[in-house]
Amino acid sequence: MKILISLSAALIGGLLMSRLAKRLKLPAVTAYLVSGLLLGPFCIGALQIEGLGFTSMEAVEHLNMISQVALGFIAFTIGNEFRVSQLKAMGRQAITVGILQAVTATALVDAALILLHMICPDVIPVSSAITLGAIAAATAPAATLMVVRQYKADGPMTRLLLMVVAIDDAVGLVLFSASFGVAMALESGTISVVTVLVEPVVEIILSLLLGAAAGLALYWVEQFFHSRSKRLSISIGFVLLTAGLSMEEFEIGGIHCGFSLLLVCMMTGTLFCNICDFSEELMARVDSWTAPLFVLFFVLSGAELDLSVLRNPSVLLIGVIYTLVRSLGKYLGAYGSCAVTGCSESIKKYLGITLLPQAGVALGMAITAQSLSDGTVVRSVVLFSVLVYELVGPALTKRALLAAGEINPEGRTSARKKAA
C-alpha cells in the first residue's frame, strides 16, 4: 500500500510540477527531476512519513524495476529512428559523430584528471582518472528523447541526434571496458586481455543478436492479431521480455557474458520497424501508453540524486573539472566530427550541446568502478555530474533544438506535421 501511495505521489507531483515548469519555459523533464529531488530522502522524504515521498535511498532502489522497464521502452522508441531510409541518408554521419564525440570527451577528461593527479597526487589516482574519462563518453538518451517528444522536434539535427545517442551506448561500453581493465591492471600489476578487449565486444554482439531475434519474433507474433489494442499489448509484452532477458548474465569458457539493456531493446525496435509495414502507427500508440511510465522514471531519477556528495571538497573539485571538461569534449568532438562529415552549420554549432545529459548508463559504470581502491570517489563524482547534467541538460537541449530551428517557437503544433 505504501509503495502505491508513493508512486501516486511521484506521478501526481511530477505532473503538477510540470505546470510550473511550463510557465518558466522549462522542459517537463526538468520538472519531473526536481519533483523527484523534492520527494527524495534529502527533502520531503527526510520527514520519514511513509507514503509521502521516499524516506531512504533504499526505498527508491526498490523501485528500480520501473526505471529498467522505462529505459527499455526508451531504447525501443529510439530504434524506430534507424530506418533503412534514414541510415542511407545519414548513417555514415551518425557513426562518425557517435564515435568521435565520445572519444574526444574521454581523451580530454583523461588528460585533465591525469594533470590533476600530477599536481595533487593525493586527490585522485591515475586509475580513477582514466576510469572517469571513459565514463565521460556516456550520454543519457532518456532526457534527450523526452525533450524531442514534448516539443515535437524534427529536422536533420534531431534525427542525427537520436541516432548518435543510440550509437553512443555501444561506443561508451567499449571505452569503459578497456579503460577499466587498464585501471585494474595499474592497481594489480596484471592486465586481462579478455576483460579489456573480448568481453565488451561479446556483450555488444550478444545484445544485437538478442535484439534482432526479439524483433523478428515480435513481427511474427503481431501477424496473428489485427486488433490495435492486441497489437499494442503484444508490443508491450515483447519490450518487457527483452528488458528482462537483457538482465541475464552467464559465463562461457571463462568469459563473462551479459547484455546491454539499451542495445537489446534498440535493436528490437530497429528490426521490427524496418520489416513491419504498420510499425509507425503502432509506435505512436506505444508512445501514448508509456507517458506515465516515463514521468515515474524521471521522478525516481530525481529522487536518486544524492545531495550528500556536495559535502566532500575533493569530490566537488574533481566533479567541477570533470563536468566542465566533459562538456567541452562533447561539444568539440561533435563540432569537429560534424565538420568532417559535411553537416550543416547549425548542426555543427548546436549538436554538441544536446549530447550533455548523463544518467543511468554512467551510474551503472560507476557502480562497476567501485571495485577500484578509490571507487567511492569515482561514484561520487559521477553522482555530482548527474546532478548537474540532469537538471541543466534538458533545458540546454531545448534551447539548442530551438536555435537550430527544429522546434516550433510556441511548442504547440507538431513540427512533423508542419514538415509534411
Side-chain angles (χ1 to χ4, degrees), residues 133-170:
I135 294 175
T139 296
T144 300
L145 178 64
M146 284 294 286
V147 173
V148 169
R149 286 178 57 178
Q150 179 185 352
Y151 296 102
K152 300 178 176 63
D154 190 34
M157 190 173 90
T158 300
R159 291 190 287 270
L160 179 61
L161 168 63
L162 292 176
M163 296 176 73
V164 168
V165 295
I167 293 169
D168 185 89
D169 185 47

PDB file of all heavy atoms in Angstrom, residues 133-170:
ATOM      1  N   GLY A 133      37.391   9.160 -17.213  1.00  0.00           N
ATOM      2  CA  GLY A 133      37.477   9.576 -18.609  1.00  0.00           C
ATOM      3  C   GLY A 133      36.593   8.725 -19.505  1.00  0.00           C
ATOM      4  O   GLY A 133      35.907   9.240 -20.394  1.00  0.00           O
ATOM      5  N   ALA A 134      36.578   7.419 -19.240  1.00  0.00           N
ATOM      6  CA  ALA A 134      35.746   6.520 -20.045  1.00  0.00           C
ATOM      7  C   ALA A 134      34.263   6.741 -19.770  1.00  0.00           C
ATOM      8  O   ALA A 134      33.430   6.723 -20.686  1.00  0.00           O
ATOM      9  CB  ALA A 134      36.123   5.070 -19.758  1.00  0.00           C
ATOM     10  N   ILE A 135      33.929   6.977 -18.504  1.00  0.00           N
ATOM     11  CA  ILE A 135      32.531   7.218 -18.148  1.00  0.00           C
ATOM     12  C   ILE A 135      32.022   8.497 -18.808  1.00  0.00           C
ATOM     13  O   ILE A 135      30.838   8.623 -19.123  1.00  0.00           O
ATOM     14  CB  ILE A 135      32.374   7.299 -16.610  1.00  0.00           C
ATOM     15  CG1 ILE A 135      32.692   5.924 -15.984  1.00  0.00           C
ATOM     16  CG2 ILE A 135      30.973   7.734 -16.212  1.00  0.00           C
ATOM     17  CD1 ILE A 135      32.692   5.932 -14.466  1.00  0.00           C
ATOM     18  N   ALA A 136      32.927   9.448 -19.055  1.00  0.00           N
ATOM     19  CA  ALA A 136      32.546  10.719 -19.688  1.00  0.00           C
ATOM     20  C   ALA A 136      31.950  10.515 -21.075  1.00  0.00           C
ATOM     21  O   ALA A 136      31.216  11.372 -21.576  1.00  0.00           O
ATOM     22  CB  ALA A 136      33.758  11.640 -19.774  1.00  0.00           C
ATOM     23  N   ALA A 137      32.249   9.384 -21.708  1.00  0.00           N
ATOM     24  CA  ALA A 137      31.739   9.138 -23.060  1.00  0.00           C
ATOM     25  C   ALA A 137      30.238   8.915 -23.081  1.00  0.00           C
ATOM     26  O   ALA A 137      29.570   9.209 -24.074  1.00  0.00           O
ATOM     27  CB  ALA A 137      32.437   7.918 -23.665  1.00  0.00           C
ATOM     28  N   ALA A 138      29.683   8.415 -21.974  1.00  0.00           N
ATOM     29  CA  ALA A 138      28.272   8.015 -21.947  1.00  0.00           C
ATOM     30  C   ALA A 138      27.334   9.222 -22.010  1.00  0.00           C
ATOM     31  O   ALA A 138      27.546  10.225 -21.334  1.00  0.00           O
ATOM     32  CB  ALA A 138      27.989   7.210 -20.681  1.00  0.00           C
ATOM     33  N   THR A 139      26.313   9.102 -22.838  1.00  0.00           N
ATOM     34  CA  THR A 139      25.258  10.118 -22.936  1.00  0.00           C
ATOM     35  C   THR A 139      23.921   9.462 -22.627  1.00  0.00           C
ATOM     36  O   THR A 139      23.652   8.355 -23.095  1.00  0.00           O
ATOM     37  CB  THR A 139      25.209  10.727 -24.348  1.00  0.00           C
ATOM     38  OG1 THR A 139      26.438  11.410 -24.600  1.00  0.00           O
ATOM     39  CG2 THR A 139      24.062  11.713 -24.491  1.00  0.00           C
ATOM     40  N   ALA A 140      23.079  10.126 -21.845  1.00  0.00           N
ATOM     41  CA  ALA A 140      21.770   9.570 -21.475  1.00  0.00           C
ATOM     42  C   ALA A 140      20.748   9.854 -22.568  1.00  0.00           C
ATOM     43  O   ALA A 140      20.481  11.018 -22.862  1.00  0.00           O
ATOM     44  CB  ALA A 140      21.310  10.157 -20.144  1.00  0.00           C
ATOM     45  N   PRO A 141      20.161   8.813 -23.171  1.00  0.00           N
ATOM     46  CA  PRO A 141      19.176   9.056 -24.228  1.00  0.00           C
ATOM     47  C   PRO A 141      17.814   9.475 -23.704  1.00  0.00           C
ATOM     48  O   PRO A 141      17.025  10.073 -24.429  1.00  0.00           O
ATOM     49  CB  PRO A 141      19.079   7.684 -24.917  1.00  0.00           C
ATOM     50  CG  PRO A 141      19.398   6.704 -23.830  1.00  0.00           C
ATOM     51  CD  PRO A 141      20.429   7.388 -22.953  1.00  0.00           C
ATOM     52  N   ALA A 142      17.516   9.166 -22.440  1.00  0.00           N
ATOM     53  CA  ALA A 142      16.161   9.372 -21.921  1.00  0.00           C
ATOM     54  C   ALA A 142      15.739  10.835 -21.919  1.00  0.00           C
ATOM     55  O   ALA A 142      14.675  11.191 -22.440  1.00  0.00           O
ATOM     56  CB  ALA A 142      16.062   8.795 -20.507  1.00  0.00           C
ATOM     57  N   ALA A 143      16.560  11.703 -21.321  1.00  0.00           N
ATOM     58  CA  ALA A 143      16.209  13.122 -21.244  1.00  0.00           C
ATOM     59  C   ALA A 143      16.106  13.737 -22.636  1.00  0.00           C
ATOM     60  O   ALA A 143      15.203  14.543 -22.916  1.00  0.00           O
ATOM     61  CB  ALA A 143      17.241  13.871 -20.403  1.00  0.00           C
ATOM     62  N   THR A 144      17.020  13.336 -23.515  1.00  0.00           N
ATOM     63  CA  THR A 144      17.006  13.856 -24.886  1.00  0.00           C
ATOM     64  C   THR A 144      15.713  13.474 -25.595  1.00  0.00           C
ATOM     65  O   THR A 144      15.061  14.317 -26.232  1.00  0.00           O
ATOM     66  CB  THR A 144      18.209  13.298 -25.672  1.00  0.00           C
ATOM     67  OG1 THR A 144      19.419  13.692 -25.019  1.00  0.00           O
ATOM     68  CG2 THR A 144      18.206  13.813 -27.102  1.00  0.00           C
ATOM     69  N   LEU A 145      15.326  12.206 -25.479  1.00  0.00           N
ATOM     70  CA  LEU A 145      14.110  11.740 -26.140  1.00  0.00           C
ATOM     71  C   LEU A 145      12.875  12.456 -25.603  1.00  0.00           C
ATOM     72  O   LEU A 145      11.971  12.824 -26.364  1.00  0.00           O
ATOM     73  CB  LEU A 145      13.952  10.228 -25.949  1.00  0.00           C
ATOM     74  CG  LEU A 145      12.692   9.605 -26.564  1.00  0.00           C
ATOM     75  CD1 LEU A 145      12.715   9.757 -28.078  1.00  0.00           C
ATOM     76  CD2 LEU A 145      12.562   8.141 -26.175  1.00  0.00           C
ATOM     77  N   MET A 146      12.836  12.689 -24.295  1.00  0.00           N
ATOM     78  CA  MET A 146      11.674  13.351 -23.700  1.00  0.00           C
ATOM     79  C   MET A 146      11.528  14.786 -24.197  1.00  0.00           C
ATOM     80  O   MET A 146      10.413  15.256 -24.454  1.00  0.00           O
ATOM     81  CB  MET A 146      11.788  13.333 -22.176  1.00  0.00           C
ATOM     82  CG  MET A 146      11.465  11.995 -21.550  1.00  0.00           C
ATOM     83  SD  MET A 146       9.725  11.522 -21.753  1.00  0.00           S
ATOM     84  CE  MET A 146       8.940  12.612 -20.567  1.00  0.00           C
ATOM     85  N   VAL A 147      12.646  15.493 -24.345  1.00  0.00           N
ATOM     86  CA  VAL A 147      12.589  16.865 -24.861  1.00  0.00           C
ATOM     87  C   VAL A 147      12.111  16.857 -26.316  1.00  0.00           C
ATOM     88  O   VAL A 147      11.269  17.668 -26.714  1.00  0.00           O
ATOM     89  CB  VAL A 147      13.965  17.550 -24.745  1.00  0.00           C
ATOM     90  CG1 VAL A 147      13.948  18.913 -25.435  1.00  0.00           C
ATOM     91  CG2 VAL A 147      14.358  17.720 -23.281  1.00  0.00           C
ATOM     92  N   VAL A 148      12.635  15.923 -27.099  1.00  0.00           N
ATOM     93  CA  VAL A 148      12.237  15.806 -28.506  1.00  0.00           C
ATOM     94  C   VAL A 148      10.744  15.527 -28.617  1.00  0.00           C
ATOM     95  O   VAL A 148      10.035  16.133 -29.431  1.00  0.00           O
ATOM     96  CB  VAL A 148      13.050  14.694 -29.206  1.00  0.00           C
ATOM     97  CG1 VAL A 148      12.455  14.374 -30.577  1.00  0.00           C
ATOM     98  CG2 VAL A 148      14.505  15.115 -29.355  1.00  0.00           C
ATOM     99  N   ARG A 149      10.247  14.631 -27.765  1.00  0.00           N
ATOM    100  CA  ARG A 149       8.835  14.264 -27.823  1.00  0.00           C
ATOM    101  C   ARG A 149       7.938  15.401 -27.330  1.00  0.00           C
ATOM    102  O   ARG A 149       6.883  15.663 -27.911  1.00  0.00           O
ATOM    103  CB  ARG A 149       8.582  13.002 -26.991  1.00  0.00           C
ATOM    104  CG  ARG A 149       9.104  11.750 -27.647  1.00  0.00           C
ATOM    105  CD  ARG A 149       8.898  10.531 -26.784  1.00  0.00           C
ATOM    106  NE  ARG A 149       7.502  10.331 -26.435  1.00  0.00           N
ATOM    107  CZ  ARG A 149       7.058   9.300 -25.722  1.00  0.00           C
ATOM    108  NH1 ARG A 149       7.911   8.397 -25.276  1.00  0.00           N
ATOM    109  NH2 ARG A 149       5.779   9.169 -25.446  1.00  0.00           N
ATOM    110  N   GLN A 150       8.339  16.057 -26.253  1.00  0.00           N
ATOM    111  CA  GLN A 150       7.498  17.124 -25.706  1.00  0.00           C
ATOM    112  C   GLN A 150       7.290  18.251 -26.704  1.00  0.00           C
ATOM    113  O   GLN A 150       6.170  18.747 -26.880  1.00  0.00           O
ATOM    114  CB  GLN A 150       8.103  17.687 -24.421  1.00  0.00           C
ATOM    115  CG  GLN A 150       7.261  18.832 -23.837  1.00  0.00           C
ATOM    116  CD  GLN A 150       7.903  19.492 -22.628  1.00  0.00           C
ATOM    117  OE1 GLN A 150       8.916  19.018 -22.114  1.00  0.00           O
ATOM    118  NE2 GLN A 150       7.320  20.586 -22.161  1.00  0.00           N
ATOM    119  N   TYR A 151       8.372  18.661 -27.378  1.00  0.00           N
ATOM    120  CA  TYR A 151       8.291  19.797 -28.285  1.00  0.00           C
ATOM    121  C   TYR A 151       8.129  19.381 -29.751  1.00  0.00           C
ATOM    122  O   TYR A 151       8.181  20.214 -30.637  1.00  0.00           O
ATOM    123  CB  TYR A 151       9.531  20.681 -28.123  1.00  0.00           C
ATOM    124  CG  TYR A 151       9.615  21.298 -26.747  1.00  0.00           C
ATOM    125  CD1 TYR A 151      10.466  20.784 -25.777  1.00  0.00           C
ATOM    126  CD2 TYR A 151       8.796  22.369 -26.392  1.00  0.00           C
ATOM    127  CE1 TYR A 151      10.525  21.331 -24.502  1.00  0.00           C
ATOM    128  CE2 TYR A 151       8.845  22.924 -25.126  1.00  0.00           C
ATOM    129  CZ  TYR A 151       9.715  22.397 -24.186  1.00  0.00           C
ATOM    130  OH  TYR A 151       9.765  22.939 -22.919  1.00  0.00           O
ATOM    131  N   LYS A 152       7.960  18.061 -29.965  1.00  0.00           N
ATOM    132  CA  LYS A 152       7.756  17.529 -31.314  1.00  0.00           C
ATOM    133  C   LYS A 152       8.838  18.026 -32.271  1.00  0.00           C
ATOM    134  O   LYS A 152       8.560  18.452 -33.399  1.00  0.00           O
ATOM    135  CB  LYS A 152       6.356  17.885 -31.818  1.00  0.00           C
ATOM    136  CG  LYS A 152       5.237  17.319 -30.945  1.00  0.00           C
ATOM    137  CD  LYS A 152       3.867  17.735 -31.441  1.00  0.00           C
ATOM    138  CE  LYS A 152       2.766  17.088 -30.608  1.00  0.00           C
ATOM    139  NZ  LYS A 152       2.789  17.496 -29.195  1.00  0.00           N
ATOM    140  N   ALA A 153      10.069  17.982 -31.780  1.00  0.00           N
ATOM    141  CA  ALA A 153      11.197  18.441 -32.595  1.00  0.00           C
ATOM    142  C   ALA A 153      11.398  17.518 -33.789  1.00  0.00           C
ATOM    143  O   ALA A 153      11.239  16.298 -33.681  1.00  0.00           O
ATOM    144  CB  ALA A 153      12.465  18.484 -31.750  1.00  0.00           C
ATOM    145  N   ASP A 154      11.733  18.086 -34.907  1.00  0.00           N
ATOM    146  CA  ASP A 154      12.019  17.284 -36.100  1.00  0.00           C
ATOM    147  C   ASP A 154      12.909  18.081 -37.034  1.00  0.00           C
ATOM    148  O   ASP A 154      12.827  19.310 -37.096  1.00  0.00           O
ATOM    149  CB  ASP A 154      10.725  16.889 -36.809  1.00  0.00           C
ATOM    150  CG  ASP A 154      10.981  15.859 -37.896  1.00  0.00           C
ATOM    151  OD1 ASP A 154      11.878  15.015 -37.708  1.00  0.00           O
ATOM    152  OD2 ASP A 154      10.303  15.906 -38.943  1.00  0.00           O
ATOM    153  N   GLY A 155      13.754  17.370 -37.746  1.00  0.00           N
ATOM    154  CA  GLY A 155      14.683  18.012 -38.664  1.00  0.00           C
ATOM    155  C   GLY A 155      15.957  17.206 -38.744  1.00  0.00           C
ATOM    156  O   GLY A 155      16.118  16.194 -38.038  1.00  0.00           O
ATOM    157  N   PRO A 156      16.912  17.603 -39.571  1.00  0.00           N
ATOM    158  CA  PRO A 156      18.159  16.849 -39.736  1.00  0.00           C
ATOM    159  C   PRO A 156      18.925  16.657 -38.421  1.00  0.00           C
ATOM    160  O   PRO A 156      19.449  15.563 -38.157  1.00  0.00           O
ATOM    161  CB  PRO A 156      18.964  17.711 -40.720  1.00  0.00           C
ATOM    162  CG  PRO A 156      17.938  18.512 -41.448  1.00  0.00           C
ATOM    163  CD  PRO A 156      16.842  18.768 -40.463  1.00  0.00           C
ATOM    164  N   MET A 157      18.999  17.692 -37.582  1.00  0.00           N
ATOM    165  CA  MET A 157      19.766  17.564 -36.349  1.00  0.00           C
ATOM    166  C   MET A 157      19.078  16.623 -35.361  1.00  0.00           C
ATOM    167  O   MET A 157      19.730  15.822 -34.690  1.00  0.00           O
ATOM    168  CB  MET A 157      19.984  18.927 -35.692  1.00  0.00           C
ATOM    169  CG  MET A 157      20.982  18.852 -34.534  1.00  0.00           C
ATOM    170  SD  MET A 157      21.418  20.464 -33.846  1.00  0.00           S
ATOM    171  CE  MET A 157      20.160  20.627 -32.574  1.00  0.00           C
ATOM    172  N   THR A 158      17.757  16.701 -35.265  1.00  0.00           N
ATOM    173  CA  THR A 158      17.023  15.825 -34.359  1.00  0.00           C
ATOM    174  C   THR A 158      17.199  14.367 -34.750  1.00  0.00           C
ATOM    175  O   THR A 158      17.458  13.499 -33.898  1.00  0.00           O
ATOM    176  CB  THR A 158      15.524  16.179 -34.350  1.00  0.00           C
ATOM    177  OG1 THR A 158      15.373  17.534 -33.927  1.00  0.00           O
ATOM    178  CG2 THR A 158      14.754  15.274 -33.401  1.00  0.00           C
ATOM    179  N   ARG A 159      17.073  14.078 -36.038  1.00  0.00           N
ATOM    180  CA  ARG A 159      17.231  12.693 -36.499  1.00  0.00           C
ATOM    181  C   ARG A 159      18.653  12.202 -36.279  1.00  0.00           C
ATOM    182  O   ARG A 159      18.872  11.060 -35.864  1.00  0.00           O
ATOM    183  CB  ARG A 159      16.829  12.595 -37.979  1.00  0.00           C
ATOM    184  CG  ARG A 159      15.332  12.794 -38.206  1.00  0.00           C
ATOM    185  CD  ARG A 159      14.938  12.442 -39.632  1.00  0.00           C
ATOM    186  NE  ARG A 159      15.387  13.460 -40.581  1.00  0.00           N
ATOM    187  CZ  ARG A 159      14.666  14.514 -40.930  1.00  0.00           C
ATOM    188  NH1 ARG A 159      13.484  14.718 -40.379  1.00  0.00           N
ATOM    189  NH2 ARG A 159      15.117  15.383 -41.808  1.00  0.00           N
ATOM    190  N   LEU A 160      19.637  13.059 -36.537  1.00  0.00           N
ATOM    191  CA  LEU A 160      21.027  12.680 -36.297  1.00  0.00           C
ATOM    192  C   LEU A 160      21.277  12.478 -34.804  1.00  0.00           C
ATOM    193  O   LEU A 160      21.951  11.529 -34.389  1.00  0.00           O
ATOM    194  CB  LEU A 160      21.957  13.768 -36.841  1.00  0.00           C
ATOM    195  CG  LEU A 160      23.466  13.534 -36.652  1.00  0.00           C
ATOM    196  CD1 LEU A 160      23.911  12.266 -37.363  1.00  0.00           C
ATOM    197  CD2 LEU A 160      24.264  14.731 -37.148  1.00  0.00           C
ATOM    198  N   LEU A 161      20.709  13.355 -33.980  1.00  0.00           N
ATOM    199  CA  LEU A 161      20.895  13.275 -32.534  1.00  0.00           C
ATOM    200  C   LEU A 161      20.406  11.949 -31.978  1.00  0.00           C
ATOM    201  O   LEU A 161      21.105  11.289 -31.191  1.00  0.00           O
ATOM    202  CB  LEU A 161      20.135  14.435 -31.866  1.00  0.00           C
ATOM    203  CG  LEU A 161      19.959  14.368 -30.346  1.00  0.00           C
ATOM    204  CD1 LEU A 161      21.309  14.405 -29.652  1.00  0.00           C
ATOM    205  CD2 LEU A 161      19.062  15.511 -29.863  1.00  0.00           C
ATOM    206  N   LEU A 162      19.207  11.516 -32.358  1.00  0.00           N
ATOM    207  CA  LEU A 162      18.651  10.273 -31.833  1.00  0.00           C
ATOM    208  C   LEU A 162      19.478   9.062 -32.262  1.00  0.00           C
ATOM    209  O   LEU A 162      19.614   8.093 -31.510  1.00  0.00           O
ATOM    210  CB  LEU A 162      17.200  10.111 -32.293  1.00  0.00           C
ATOM    211  CG  LEU A 162      16.225  11.132 -31.687  1.00  0.00           C
ATOM    212  CD1 LEU A 162      14.834  10.959 -32.266  1.00  0.00           C
ATOM    213  CD2 LEU A 162      16.190  11.009 -30.165  1.00  0.00           C
ATOM    214  N   MET A 163      20.048   9.112 -33.453  1.00  0.00           N
ATOM    215  CA  MET A 163      20.915   8.018 -33.895  1.00  0.00           C
ATOM    216  C   MET A 163      22.238   8.032 -33.137  1.00  0.00           C
ATOM    217  O   MET A 163      22.758   6.981 -32.751  1.00  0.00           O
ATOM    218  CB  MET A 163      21.154   8.127 -35.406  1.00  0.00           C
ATOM    219  CG  MET A 163      19.900   7.946 -36.237  1.00  0.00           C
ATOM    220  SD  MET A 163      20.175   8.203 -38.009  1.00  0.00           S
ATOM    221  CE  MET A 163      21.065   6.722 -38.434  1.00  0.00           C
ATOM    222  N   VAL A 164      22.770   9.222 -32.889  1.00  0.00           N
ATOM    223  CA  VAL A 164      24.059   9.337 -32.198  1.00  0.00           C
ATOM    224  C   VAL A 164      23.958   8.849 -30.756  1.00  0.00           C
ATOM    225  O   VAL A 164      24.845   8.133 -30.277  1.00  0.00           O
ATOM    226  CB  VAL A 164      24.574  10.794 -32.246  1.00  0.00           C
ATOM    227  CG1 VAL A 164      25.743  10.984 -31.278  1.00  0.00           C
ATOM    228  CG2 VAL A 164      25.014  11.158 -33.661  1.00  0.00           C
ATOM    229  N   VAL A 165      22.888   9.219 -30.034  1.00  0.00           N
ATOM    230  CA  VAL A 165      22.782   8.805 -28.635  1.00  0.00           C
ATOM    231  C   VAL A 165      22.624   7.291 -28.522  1.00  0.00           C
ATOM    232  O   VAL A 165      22.996   6.686 -27.514  1.00  0.00           O
ATOM    233  CB  VAL A 165      21.629   9.517 -27.898  1.00  0.00           C
ATOM    234  CG1 VAL A 165      21.885  10.998 -27.789  1.00  0.00           C
ATOM    235  CG2 VAL A 165      20.281   9.231 -28.546  1.00  0.00           C
ATOM    236  N   ALA A 166      22.066   6.663 -29.562  1.00  0.00           N
ATOM    237  CA  ALA A 166      21.966   5.206 -29.562  1.00  0.00           C
ATOM    238  C   ALA A 166      23.335   4.568 -29.810  1.00  0.00           C
ATOM    239  O   ALA A 166      23.730   3.622 -29.110  1.00  0.00           O
ATOM    240  CB  ALA A 166      20.967   4.759 -30.631  1.00  0.00           C
ATOM    241  N   ILE A 167      24.076   5.084 -30.783  1.00  0.00           N
ATOM    242  CA  ILE A 167      25.419   4.563 -31.080  1.00  0.00           C
ATOM    243  C   ILE A 167      26.355   4.805 -29.904  1.00  0.00           C
ATOM    244  O   ILE A 167      27.233   3.984 -29.598  1.00  0.00           O
ATOM    245  CB  ILE A 167      25.965   5.248 -32.359  1.00  0.00           C
ATOM    246  CG1 ILE A 167      25.132   4.809 -33.570  1.00  0.00           C
ATOM    247  CG2 ILE A 167      27.439   4.941 -32.568  1.00  0.00           C
ATOM    248  CD1 ILE A 167      25.404   5.618 -34.825  1.00  0.00           C
ATOM    249  N   ASP A 168      26.139   5.905 -29.210  1.00  0.00           N
ATOM    250  CA  ASP A 168      26.988   6.289 -28.079  1.00  0.00           C
ATOM    251  C   ASP A 168      27.048   5.201 -27.003  1.00  0.00           C
ATOM    252  O   ASP A 168      28.070   5.022 -26.348  1.00  0.00           O
ATOM    253  CB  ASP A 168      26.453   7.592 -27.477  1.00  0.00           C
ATOM    254  CG  ASP A 168      27.343   8.135 -26.380  1.00  0.00           C
ATOM    255  OD1 ASP A 168      28.257   8.905 -26.723  1.00  0.00           O
ATOM    256  OD2 ASP A 168      27.128   7.797 -25.204  1.00  0.00           O
ATOM    257  N   ASP A 169      25.953   4.458 -26.827  1.00  0.00           N
ATOM    258  CA  ASP A 169      25.914   3.411 -25.804  1.00  0.00           C
ATOM    259  C   ASP A 169      26.942   2.329 -26.096  1.00  0.00           C
ATOM    260  O   ASP A 169      27.669   1.886 -25.201  1.00  0.00           O
ATOM    261  CB  ASP A 169      24.508   2.806 -25.727  1.00  0.00           C
ATOM    262  CG  ASP A 169      24.374   1.803 -24.598  1.00  0.00           C
ATOM    263  OD1 ASP A 169      24.812   2.110 -23.469  1.00  0.00           O
ATOM    264  OD2 ASP A 169      23.844   0.696 -24.832  1.00  0.00           O
ATOM    265  N   ALA A 170      27.021   1.910 -27.362  1.00  0.00           N
ATOM    266  CA  ALA A 170      27.981   0.878 -27.737  1.00  0.00           C
ATOM    267  C   ALA A 170      29.419   1.393 -27.630  1.00  0.00           C
ATOM    268  O   ALA A 170      30.315   0.698 -27.124  1.00  0.00           O
ATOM    269  CB  ALA A 170      27.709   0.394 -29.160  1.00  0.00           C
TER     270      ALA A 170
END
